[in-house]
Amino acid sequence: MPEKDQGRILLSVTGFNPRPWFELLSKTRPVVLDPDGPEDPSITYAVVWNQKPNLLARLPNLRAIFSIGAGVDHVFTDPGVPQVPIVRVVDENLTQYMTEYVLWRVLDHHRQGMLFRAQQKRKIWREPTQPAASDISVGIMGLGQLGRAAARTLLATGFRVNGWSRNERTMTDVATFCGDEGLVPFLNATDILVVLLPLTPQTTGIVNYELLRELRRRNGLGGAVLINAGRGRLQKDSDILRALEDGTLKEASLDVFEVEPLPRTSPLWNHPAVFVTPHAAATSDPVHLVEPMLQQMAAFENGEPLQNLVDRNAGY
Ligand code: NDP
Ligand code: OXD
């Protein structure tokens, strides 16, 4: 299709600076940050992160929506998302970031980083008992693109790995569980829980006190550990605090929170057993993501199918 017929891209972003995305996208196609008037027939694609509500519903010639993240819950918070295909991010670079985050946090809890940092502050020279990686089972909730990559790296590092998914999945050397009936057996066999689920109506609030109580606590780590890098609304912040207070959980690494940015008044900020990062586990870098998006648009216009489509019924 000649450039003049390509239509424009709508870029709608809340929560971060869209400029780098605007500059890279507009090298190839015309981009608009705010559509003109009540309807804009010139826009054929939307690239979004938490788009302004009811904006997409005003684009009569929209052909597809591209999420700036792997997760798409931010797209569905808008009541007026038109029935066009939604493409999400599946990208080596993003997967690598997440794998690094998971390995970093698992190793830090496993090698008792919190204890050693506290000891150093008080100049204490004491070696605690240290379990072998092969005695620790890391359970990954969400055995998708990110969960599977993390599982492979954890296995290569020497941990045992369990995985939980919606549908039945198999993976070499990973003990897999699925569905409601697989959840408790999965948790009962897990020492360090890594949450890499999408946020859907089925998963909202799933990481609550009752779930945490099912984790295995008889391990050399001295307690169960939670790592959540999926979405904040998967968890109940207050249940995590309760579990830390009564010993149900030993420690937690949280990248995501029910409310983001995490309010300054949240007790999670100062909790000695909590490691906080600001939704930074795996960043969507436009340098890596814009080119594949533009390539998909061009391929789609040549009659090829879009890749990495969201299943609207499943919500991810
Ligand atoms: P995928 O869609 O590839 O994988 C999702 C996994 O979750 C699948 O295994 C799926 O099961 C499972 N799942 C979904 N719903 C349920 C359910 N109800 N019960 C059990 N399992 C379920 O997603 P990705 O791996 O690419 O990404 C996962 C999430 O990570 C994103 O949705 C996003 O929220 C989060 N994320 C966070 C980032 C950060 O910086 N903190 C960065 C990037 C992503 P099945 O295999 O059966 O379909
Ligand atoms: C994503 C994210 O979903 O960064 O990609 O949270």
Side-chain angles (χ1 to χ4, degrees):
M1 192 182 275
E3 171 120 28
K4 65 181 172 45
D5 294 330
Q6 277 179 340
R8 298 199 289 175
I9 295 175
L10 165 78
L11 177 63
S12 183
V13 161
T14 320
F16 61 90
N17 178 12
R19 230 346 101 180
W21 286 85
F22 182 88
E23 277 160 21
L24 286 168
L25 285 164
S26 54
K27 279 188 182 160
T28 304
R29 289 182 182 240
V31 183
V32 59
L33 275 168
D34 286 306
D36 320 304
E39 273 207 345
D40 194 330
S42 74
I43 289 166
T44 46
Y45 298 105
V47 174
V48 303
W49 178 267
N50 249 321
Q51 73 273 8
K52 296 191 178 68
N54 295 314
L55 191 55
L56 300 179
R58 292 192 273 131
L59 311 177
N61 293 321
L62 189 67
R63 301 187 67 189
I65 298 163
F66 287 75
S67 163
I68 280 178
V72 290
D73 48 293
H74 63 95
V75 178
F76 292 121
T77 54
D78 177 354
V81 182
Q83 288 294 327
V84 296
I86 302 172
V87 176
R88 70 185 195 93
V89 169
V90 175
D91 171 72
E92 253 178 48
N93 181 260
L94 181 123
T95 303
Q96 172 67 21
Y97 275 127
M98 185 58 86
T99 302
E100 288 170 9
Y101 172 86
V102 172
L103 182 62
W104 172 42
R105 297 322 309 148
V106 167
L107 280 175
D108 190 50
H109 291 290
H110 169 59
R111 295 306 305 264
Q112 309 195 47
M114 287 191 179
L115 173 71
F116 285 126
R117 284 189 289 275
Q119 287 194 174
Q120 183 176 349
K121 228 181 213 166
R122 296 167 55 209
K123 301 184 181 159
I124 294 173
W125 185 274
R126 186 168 64 219
E127 186 187 353
T129 50
Q130 305 207 53
S134 57
D135 289 334
I136 301 299
S137 290
V138 183
I140 304 181
M141 286 181 93
L143 213 47
Q145 294 290 335
L146 302 179
R148 295 173 86 85
R152 280 191 288 274
T153 296
L154 291 166
L155 282 173
T157 311
F159 292 97
R160 295 181 197 212
V161 180
N162 305 320
W164 183 69
S165 53
R166 192 165 65 99
N167 303 290
E168 204 171 322
R169 304 279 173 207
T170 54
M171 197 175 163
T172 308
D173 295 330
V174 174
T176 54
F177 303 79
C178 73
D180 290 347
E181 65 291 358
L183 184 56
V184 169
F186 161 80
L187 295 166
N188 290 170
T190 290
D191 303 305
I192 299 181
L193 180 67
V194 175
V195 184
L196 286 175
L197 286 168
L199 182 69
T200 68
Q202 287 70 41
T203 60
T204 300
I206 193 169
V207 183
N208 54 34
Y209 186 77
E210 283 64 43
L211 177 140
L212 297 172
R213 229 175 29 191
E214 296 294 345
L215 289 170
R216 194 160 71 180
R217 279 181 296 283
R218 288 185 306 278
N219 59 47
L221 285 177
V225 171
L226 167 70
I227 299 170
N228 185 6
R231 280 288 181 270
R233 286 181 50 229
L234 296 168
Q235 79 196 19
K236 296 253 175 255
D237 291 3
S238 56
D239 282 17
I240 293 172
L241 283 161
R242 179 180 163 202
L244 287 164
E245 294 315 316
D246 71 10
T248 298
L249 272 183
K250 180 190 172 212
E251 294 171 353
S253 282
L254 305 174
D255 185 56
V256 288
F257 303 88
E258 278 183 88
V259 178
E260 293 180 9
L262 181 62
R264 293 179 64 83
T265 51
S266 170
L268 289 168
W269 278 115
N270 293 325
H271 199 292
V274 180
F275 187 86
V276 170
T277 43
H279 198 141
T283 196
S284 282
D285 183 348
V287 170
H288 294 275
L289 300 183
V290 163
E291 195 49 44
M293 280 181 185
L294 292 166
Q295 279 169 6
Q296 280 231 64
M297 292 172 198
F300 188 49
E301 283 155 5
N302 283 330
E304 289 174 37
L306 290 165
Q307 308 295 313
N308 309 319
L309 285 173
V310 172
D311 172 348
R312 290 178 86 118
N313 290 327
Y316 66 97

mmCIF file with all atom_site columns, all heavy atoms in Angstrom, residues 175-194:
data_model
loop_
_atom_site.group_PDB
_atom_site.id
_atom_site.type_symbol
_atom_site.label_atom_id
_atom_site.label_alt_id
_atom_site.label_comp_id
_atom_site.label_asym_id
_atom_site.label_entity_id
_atom_site.label_seq_id
_atom_site.pdbx_PDB_ins_code
_atom_site.Cartn_x
_atom_site.Cartn_y
_atom_site.Cartn_z
_atom_site.occupancy
_atom_site.B_iso_or_equiv
_atom_site.pdbx_formal_charge
_atom_site.auth_seq_id
_atom_site.auth_comp_id
_atom_site.auth_asym_id
_atom_site.auth_atom_id
_atom_site.pdbx_PDB_model_num
ATOM 1   N N   . ALA A 1 175 ? 7.644   -29.848 36.959 1.00 0.00 ? 175 ALA A N   1
ATOM 2   C CA  . ALA A 1 175 ? 6.409   -30.511 37.415 1.00 0.00 ? 175 ALA A CA  1
ATOM 3   C C   . ALA A 1 175 ? 5.263   -29.547 37.140 1.00 0.00 ? 175 ALA A C   1
ATOM 4   O O   . ALA A 1 175 ? 5.229   -28.443 37.691 1.00 0.00 ? 175 ALA A O   1
ATOM 5   C CB  . ALA A 1 175 ? 6.515   -30.810 38.903 1.00 0.00 ? 175 ALA A CB  1
ATOM 6   N N   . THR A 1 176 ? 4.351   -29.943 36.248 1.00 0.00 ? 176 THR A N   1
ATOM 7   C CA  . THR A 1 176 ? 3.307   -28.995 35.846 1.00 0.00 ? 176 THR A CA  1
ATOM 8   C C   . THR A 1 176 ? 1.958   -29.347 36.475 1.00 0.00 ? 176 THR A C   1
ATOM 9   O O   . THR A 1 176 ? 1.628   -30.517 36.677 1.00 0.00 ? 176 THR A O   1
ATOM 10  C CB  . THR A 1 176 ? 3.183   -28.928 34.310 1.00 0.00 ? 176 THR A CB  1
ATOM 11  O OG1 . THR A 1 176 ? 2.996   -30.243 33.796 1.00 0.00 ? 176 THR A OG1 1
ATOM 12  C CG2 . THR A 1 176 ? 4.403   -28.295 33.685 1.00 0.00 ? 176 THR A CG2 1
ATOM 13  N N   . PHE A 1 177 ? 1.193   -28.310 36.770 1.00 0.00 ? 177 PHE A N   1
ATOM 14  C CA  . PHE A 1 177 ? -0.131  -28.405 37.391 1.00 0.00 ? 177 PHE A CA  1
ATOM 15  C C   . PHE A 1 177 ? -1.029  -27.442 36.628 1.00 0.00 ? 177 PHE A C   1
ATOM 16  O O   . PHE A 1 177 ? -0.538  -26.449 36.077 1.00 0.00 ? 177 PHE A O   1
ATOM 17  C CB  . PHE A 1 177 ? -0.071  -27.957 38.853 1.00 0.00 ? 177 PHE A CB  1
ATOM 18  C CG  . PHE A 1 177 ? 0.921   -28.728 39.698 1.00 0.00 ? 177 PHE A CG  1
ATOM 19  C CD1 . PHE A 1 177 ? 2.287   -28.426 39.638 1.00 0.00 ? 177 PHE A CD1 1
ATOM 20  C CD2 . PHE A 1 177 ? 0.494   -29.737 40.547 1.00 0.00 ? 177 PHE A CD2 1
ATOM 21  C CE1 . PHE A 1 177 ? 3.195   -29.133 40.424 1.00 0.00 ? 177 PHE A CE1 1
ATOM 22  C CE2 . PHE A 1 177 ? 1.399   -30.442 41.335 1.00 0.00 ? 177 PHE A CE2 1
ATOM 23  C CZ  . PHE A 1 177 ? 2.758   -30.140 41.273 1.00 0.00 ? 177 PHE A CZ  1
ATOM 24  N N   . CYS A 1 178 ? -2.329  -27.711 36.619 1.00 0.00 ? 178 CYS A N   1
ATOM 25  C CA  . CYS A 1 178 ? -3.198  -26.738 35.951 1.00 0.00 ? 178 CYS A CA  1
ATOM 26  C C   . CYS A 1 178 ? -4.569  -26.661 36.607 1.00 0.00 ? 178 CYS A C   1
ATOM 27  O O   . CYS A 1 178 ? -4.997  -27.592 37.316 1.00 0.00 ? 178 CYS A O   1
ATOM 28  C CB  . CYS A 1 178 ? -3.316  -27.040 34.455 1.00 0.00 ? 178 CYS A CB  1
ATOM 29  S SG  . CYS A 1 178 ? -4.308  -28.471 34.081 1.00 0.00 ? 178 CYS A SG  1
ATOM 30  N N   . GLY A 1 179 ? -5.198  -25.537 36.350 1.00 0.00 ? 179 GLY A N   1
ATOM 31  C CA  . GLY A 1 179 ? -6.585  -25.340 36.759 1.00 0.00 ? 179 GLY A CA  1
ATOM 32  C C   . GLY A 1 179 ? -6.781  -25.301 38.269 1.00 0.00 ? 179 GLY A C   1
ATOM 33  O O   . GLY A 1 179 ? -5.834  -25.443 39.045 1.00 0.00 ? 179 GLY A O   1
ATOM 34  N N   . ASP A 1 180 ? -8.047  -25.137 38.662 1.00 0.00 ? 180 ASP A N   1
ATOM 35  C CA  . ASP A 1 180 ? -8.385  -25.027 40.087 1.00 0.00 ? 180 ASP A CA  1
ATOM 36  C C   . ASP A 1 180 ? -7.904  -26.247 40.868 1.00 0.00 ? 180 ASP A C   1
ATOM 37  O O   . ASP A 1 180 ? -7.369  -26.129 41.975 1.00 0.00 ? 180 ASP A O   1
ATOM 38  C CB  . ASP A 1 180 ? -9.908  -24.911 40.265 1.00 0.00 ? 180 ASP A CB  1
ATOM 39  C CG  . ASP A 1 180 ? -10.415 -23.573 39.757 1.00 0.00 ? 180 ASP A CG  1
ATOM 40  O OD1 . ASP A 1 180 ? -9.558  -22.687 39.510 1.00 0.00 ? 180 ASP A OD1 1
ATOM 41  O OD2 . ASP A 1 180 ? -11.634 -23.421 39.571 1.00 0.00 ? 180 ASP A OD2 1
ATOM 42  N N   . GLU A 1 181 ? -8.090  -27.439 40.262 1.00 0.00 ? 181 GLU A N   1
ATOM 43  C CA  . GLU A 1 181 ? -7.750  -28.663 41.010 1.00 0.00 ? 181 GLU A CA  1
ATOM 44  C C   . GLU A 1 181 ? -6.240  -28.826 41.171 1.00 0.00 ? 181 GLU A C   1
ATOM 45  O O   . GLU A 1 181 ? -5.784  -29.500 42.083 1.00 0.00 ? 181 GLU A O   1
ATOM 46  C CB  . GLU A 1 181 ? -8.396  -29.908 40.365 1.00 0.00 ? 181 GLU A CB  1
ATOM 47  C CG  . GLU A 1 181 ? -7.940  -30.301 38.984 1.00 0.00 ? 181 GLU A CG  1
ATOM 48  C CD  . GLU A 1 181 ? -8.357  -29.344 37.849 1.00 0.00 ? 181 GLU A CD  1
ATOM 49  O OE1 . GLU A 1 181 ? -9.062  -28.337 38.076 1.00 0.00 ? 181 GLU A OE1 1
ATOM 50  O OE2 . GLU A 1 181 ? -7.952  -29.631 36.715 1.00 0.00 ? 181 GLU A OE2 1
ATOM 51  N N   . GLY A 1 182 ? -5.463  -28.181 40.293 1.00 0.00 ? 182 GLY A N   1
ATOM 52  C CA  . GLY A 1 182 ? -3.999  -28.305 40.390 1.00 0.00 ? 182 GLY A CA  1
ATOM 53  C C   . GLY A 1 182 ? -3.367  -27.273 41.310 1.00 0.00 ? 182 GLY A C   1
ATOM 54  O O   . GLY A 1 182 ? -2.178  -27.368 41.642 1.00 0.00 ? 182 GLY A O   1
ATOM 55  N N   . LEU A 1 183 ? -4.151  -26.277 41.741 1.00 0.00 ? 183 LEU A N   1
ATOM 56  C CA  . LEU A 1 183 ? -3.542  -25.146 42.450 1.00 0.00 ? 183 LEU A CA  1
ATOM 57  C C   . LEU A 1 183 ? -2.973  -25.534 43.817 1.00 0.00 ? 183 LEU A C   1
ATOM 58  O O   . LEU A 1 183 ? -1.815  -25.230 44.123 1.00 0.00 ? 183 LEU A O   1
ATOM 59  C CB  . LEU A 1 183 ? -4.568  -23.999 42.573 1.00 0.00 ? 183 LEU A CB  1
ATOM 60  C CG  . LEU A 1 183 ? -4.042  -22.714 43.218 1.00 0.00 ? 183 LEU A CG  1
ATOM 61  C CD1 . LEU A 1 183 ? -2.817  -22.182 42.475 1.00 0.00 ? 183 LEU A CD1 1
ATOM 62  C CD2 . LEU A 1 183 ? -5.142  -21.641 43.240 1.00 0.00 ? 183 LEU A CD2 1
ATOM 63  N N   . VAL A 1 184 ? -3.761  -26.204 44.650 1.00 0.00 ? 184 VAL A N   1
ATOM 64  C CA  . VAL A 1 184 ? -3.275  -26.527 46.001 1.00 0.00 ? 184 VAL A CA  1
ATOM 65  C C   . VAL A 1 184 ? -2.089  -27.501 45.943 1.00 0.00 ? 184 VAL A C   1
ATOM 66  O O   . VAL A 1 184 ? -1.061  -27.257 46.601 1.00 0.00 ? 184 VAL A O   1
ATOM 67  C CB  . VAL A 1 184 ? -4.433  -27.005 46.909 1.00 0.00 ? 184 VAL A CB  1
ATOM 68  C CG1 . VAL A 1 184 ? -3.913  -27.601 48.205 1.00 0.00 ? 184 VAL A CG1 1
ATOM 69  C CG2 . VAL A 1 184 ? -5.363  -25.819 47.205 1.00 0.00 ? 184 VAL A CG2 1
ATOM 70  N N   . PRO A 1 185 ? -2.156  -28.587 45.138 1.00 0.00 ? 185 PRO A N   1
ATOM 71  C CA  . PRO A 1 185 ? -0.964  -29.449 45.027 1.00 0.00 ? 185 PRO A CA  1
ATOM 72  C C   . PRO A 1 185 ? 0.277   -28.685 44.556 1.00 0.00 ? 185 PRO A C   1
ATOM 73  O O   . PRO A 1 185 ? 1.387   -28.917 45.042 1.00 0.00 ? 185 PRO A O   1
ATOM 74  C CB  . PRO A 1 185 ? -1.377  -30.503 43.989 1.00 0.00 ? 185 PRO A CB  1
ATOM 75  C CG  . PRO A 1 185 ? -2.877  -30.488 43.990 1.00 0.00 ? 185 PRO A CG  1
ATOM 76  C CD  . PRO A 1 185 ? -3.319  -29.129 44.426 1.00 0.00 ? 185 PRO A CD  1
ATOM 77  N N   . PHE A 1 186 ? 0.078   -27.753 43.635 1.00 0.00 ? 186 PHE A N   1
ATOM 78  C CA  . PHE A 1 186 ? 1.199   -26.919 43.147 1.00 0.00 ? 186 PHE A CA  1
ATOM 79  C C   . PHE A 1 186 ? 1.786   -26.101 44.308 1.00 0.00 ? 186 PHE A C   1
ATOM 80  O O   . PHE A 1 186 ? 2.996   -26.077 44.521 1.00 0.00 ? 186 PHE A O   1
ATOM 81  C CB  . PHE A 1 186 ? 0.679   -26.007 42.027 1.00 0.00 ? 186 PHE A CB  1
ATOM 82  C CG  . PHE A 1 186 ? 1.532   -24.804 41.730 1.00 0.00 ? 186 PHE A CG  1
ATOM 83  C CD1 . PHE A 1 186 ? 2.676   -24.908 40.940 1.00 0.00 ? 186 PHE A CD1 1
ATOM 84  C CD2 . PHE A 1 186 ? 1.182   -23.539 42.217 1.00 0.00 ? 186 PHE A CD2 1
ATOM 85  C CE1 . PHE A 1 186 ? 3.466   -23.789 40.666 1.00 0.00 ? 186 PHE A CE1 1
ATOM 86  C CE2 . PHE A 1 186 ? 1.956   -22.420 41.944 1.00 0.00 ? 186 PHE A CE2 1
ATOM 87  C CZ  . PHE A 1 186 ? 3.100   -22.547 41.171 1.00 0.00 ? 186 PHE A CZ  1
ATOM 88  N N   . LEU A 1 187 ? 0.923   -25.460 45.087 1.00 0.00 ? 187 LEU A N   1
ATOM 89  C CA  . LEU A 1 187 ? 1.395   -24.605 46.195 1.00 0.00 ? 187 LEU A CA  1
ATOM 90  C C   . LEU A 1 187 ? 2.054   -25.441 47.278 1.00 0.00 ? 187 LEU A C   1
ATOM 91  O O   . LEU A 1 187 ? 3.082   -25.055 47.839 1.00 0.00 ? 187 LEU A O   1
ATOM 92  C CB  . LEU A 1 187 ? 0.215   -23.816 46.776 1.00 0.00 ? 187 LEU A CB  1
ATOM 93  C CG  . LEU A 1 187 ? -0.434  -22.805 45.824 1.00 0.00 ? 187 LEU A CG  1
ATOM 94  C CD1 . LEU A 1 187 ? -1.783  -22.352 46.373 1.00 0.00 ? 187 LEU A CD1 1
ATOM 95  C CD2 . LEU A 1 187 ? 0.476   -21.608 45.574 1.00 0.00 ? 187 LEU A CD2 1
ATOM 96  N N   . ASN A 1 188 ? 1.459   -26.613 47.557 1.00 0.00 ? 188 ASN A N   1
ATOM 97  C CA  . ASN A 1 188 ? 2.008   -27.477 48.616 1.00 0.00 ? 188 ASN A CA  1
ATOM 98  C C   . ASN A 1 188 ? 3.416   -27.972 48.274 1.00 0.00 ? 188 ASN A C   1
ATOM 99  O O   . ASN A 1 188 ? 4.146   -28.411 49.158 1.00 0.00 ? 188 ASN A O   1
ATOM 100 C CB  . ASN A 1 188 ? 1.112   -28.695 48.839 1.00 0.00 ? 188 ASN A CB  1
ATOM 101 C CG  . ASN A 1 188 ? -0.230  -28.344 49.481 1.00 0.00 ? 188 ASN A CG  1
ATOM 102 O OD1 . ASN A 1 188 ? -1.115  -29.169 49.560 1.00 0.00 ? 188 ASN A OD1 1
ATOM 103 N ND2 . ASN A 1 188 ? -0.387  -27.113 49.932 1.00 0.00 ? 188 ASN A ND2 1
ATOM 104 N N   . ALA A 1 189 ? 3.779   -27.927 46.998 1.00 0.00 ? 189 ALA A N   1
ATOM 105 C CA  . ALA A 1 189 ? 5.102   -28.402 46.574 1.00 0.00 ? 189 ALA A CA  1
ATOM 106 C C   . ALA A 1 189 ? 6.045   -27.235 46.278 1.00 0.00 ? 189 ALA A C   1
ATOM 107 O O   . ALA A 1 189 ? 7.102   -27.416 45.674 1.00 0.00 ? 189 ALA A O   1
ATOM 108 C CB  . ALA A 1 189 ? 4.946   -29.268 45.324 1.00 0.00 ? 189 ALA A CB  1
ATOM 109 N N   . THR A 1 190 ? 5.670   -26.009 46.683 1.00 0.00 ? 190 THR A N   1
ATOM 110 C CA  . THR A 1 190 ? 6.439   -24.809 46.304 1.00 0.00 ? 190 THR A CA  1
ATOM 111 C C   . THR A 1 190 ? 7.005   -24.079 47.520 1.00 0.00 ? 190 THR A C   1
ATOM 112 O O   . THR A 1 190 ? 6.276   -23.773 48.463 1.00 0.00 ? 190 THR A O   1
ATOM 113 C CB  . THR A 1 190 ? 5.512   -23.865 45.496 1.00 0.00 ? 190 THR A CB  1
ATOM 114 O OG1 . THR A 1 190 ? 5.251   -24.473 44.217 1.00 0.00 ? 190 THR A OG1 1
ATOM 115 C CG2 . THR A 1 190 ? 6.132   -22.503 45.279 1.00 0.00 ? 190 THR A CG2 1
ATOM 116 N N   . ASP A 1 191 ? 8.324   -23.781 47.464 1.00 0.00 ? 191 ASP A N   1
ATOM 117 C CA  . ASP A 1 191 ? 8.978   -23.006 48.534 1.00 0.00 ? 191 ASP A CA  1
ATOM 118 C C   . ASP A 1 191 ? 9.041   -21.516 48.187 1.00 0.00 ? 191 ASP A C   1
ATOM 119 O O   . ASP A 1 191 ? 8.854   -20.664 49.032 1.00 0.00 ? 191 ASP A O   1
ATOM 120 C CB  . ASP A 1 191 ? 10.422  -23.497 48.731 1.00 0.00 ? 191 ASP A CB  1
ATOM 121 C CG  . ASP A 1 191 ? 10.479  -24.973 49.043 1.00 0.00 ? 191 ASP A CG  1
ATOM 122 O OD1 . ASP A 1 191 ? 9.817   -25.397 50.002 1.00 0.00 ? 191 ASP A OD1 1
ATOM 123 O OD2 . ASP A 1 191 ? 11.167  -25.723 48.298 1.00 0.00 ? 191 ASP A OD2 1
ATOM 124 N N   . ILE A 1 192 ? 9.370   -21.235 46.933 1.00 0.00 ? 192 ILE A N   1
ATOM 125 C CA  . ILE A 1 192 ? 9.452   -19.840 46.478 1.00 0.00 ? 192 ILE A CA  1
ATOM 126 C C   . ILE A 1 192 ? 8.427   -19.690 45.362 1.00 0.00 ? 192 ILE A C   1
ATOM 127 O O   . ILE A 1 192 ? 8.526   -20.346 44.322 1.00 0.00 ? 192 ILE A O   1
ATOM 128 C CB  . ILE A 1 192 ? 10.863  -19.495 45.948 1.00 0.00 ? 192 ILE A CB  1
ATOM 129 C CG1 . ILE A 1 192 ? 11.913  -19.668 47.063 1.00 0.00 ? 192 ILE A CG1 1
ATOM 130 C CG2 . ILE A 1 192 ? 10.894  -18.071 45.379 1.00 0.00 ? 192 ILE A CG2 1
ATOM 131 C CD1 . ILE A 1 192 ? 13.354  -19.332 46.645 1.00 0.00 ? 192 ILE A CD1 1
ATOM 132 N N   . LEU A 1 193 ? 7.427   -18.827 45.582 1.00 0.00 ? 193 LEU A N   1
ATOM 133 C CA  . LEU A 1 193 ? 6.351   -18.654 44.591 1.00 0.00 ? 193 LEU A CA  1
ATOM 134 C C   . LEU A 1 193 ? 6.653   -17.440 43.725 1.00 0.00 ? 193 LEU A C   1
ATOM 135 O O   . LEU A 1 193 ? 6.861   -16.338 44.230 1.00 0.00 ? 193 LEU A O   1
ATOM 136 C CB  . LEU A 1 193 ? 5.015   -18.441 45.316 1.00 0.00 ? 193 LEU A CB  1
ATOM 137 C CG  . LEU A 1 193 ? 3.797   -18.241 44.402 1.00 0.00 ? 193 LEU A CG  1
ATOM 138 C CD1 . LEU A 1 193 ? 3.476   -19.527 43.628 1.00 0.00 ? 193 LEU A CD1 1
ATOM 139 C CD2 . LEU A 1 193 ? 2.573   -17.812 45.216 1.00 0.00 ? 193 LEU A CD2 1
ATOM 140 N N   . VAL A 1 194 ? 6.678   -17.664 42.404 1.00 0.00 ? 194 VAL A N   1
ATOM 141 C CA  . VAL A 1 194 ? 6.909   -16.568 41.448 1.00 0.00 ? 194 VAL A CA  1
ATOM 142 C C   . VAL A 1 194 ? 5.616   -16.375 40.668 1.00 0.00 ? 194 VAL A C   1
ATOM 143 O O   . VAL A 1 194 ? 5.137   -17.303 40.015 1.00 0.00 ? 194 VAL A O   1
ATOM 144 C CB  . VAL A 1 194 ? 8.061   -16.931 40.479 1.00 0.00 ? 194 VAL A CB  1
ATOM 145 C CG1 . VAL A 1 194 ? 8.218   -15.856 39.412 1.00 0.00 ? 194 VAL A CG1 1
ATOM 146 C CG2 . VAL A 1 194 ? 9.365   -17.125 41.245 1.00 0.00 ? 194 VAL A CG2 1
#
